[in-house]
Amino acid sequence: MNNFAFKKINFILIGLSMVLVIIGFVMMTGASSTEKSFAPEIFSGSRISVAPMICLVGFVSIIAGIMYRPKEDKK
């Protein structure tokens, strides 16, 4: 009777993956350079390499959460 495309585990996986993407984007934000002052932290390793990798893992995890098919109960 319950013929939904996604199960509860799919929504949990997608939600956790979206949190990863949001964390990655928040890590990329921060102080920026202006005409009057230069902020060297715009070139930090966490903003240039770590945060985009976290976003990439999050996006791939969203796809995995959509594609995941839980095992059927034999009743």
Side-chain angles (χ1 to χ4, degrees):
M1 188 75 189
N2 198 359
N3 293 330
F4 293 119
F6 290 148
K7 305 291 183 201
K8 182 179 179 181
I9 188 72
N10 294 97
F11 289 114
I12 292 171
L13 291 173
I14 292 169
L16 291 174
S17 302
M18 291 175 78
V19 168
L20 266 178
V21 172
I22 291 169
I23 289 171
F25 278 114
V26 168
M27 285 178 66
M28 281 190 263
T29 63
S32 60
S33 296
T34 62
E35 292 179 9
K36 296 181 181 179
S37 66
F38 175 72
E41 55 270 354
I42 63 171
F43 299 112
S44 69
S46 65
R47 291 180 79 178
I48 292 177
S49 58
V50 176
M53 292 304 289
I54 290 175
C55 287
L56 179 67
V57 168
F59 286 126
V60 171
S61 299
I62 289 173
I63 294 170
I66 292 171
M67 302 288 290
Y68 180 75
R69 178 179 284 171
K71 295 181 180 170
E72 298 292 327
D73 294 335
K74 294 182 181 181
K75 289 185 178 182

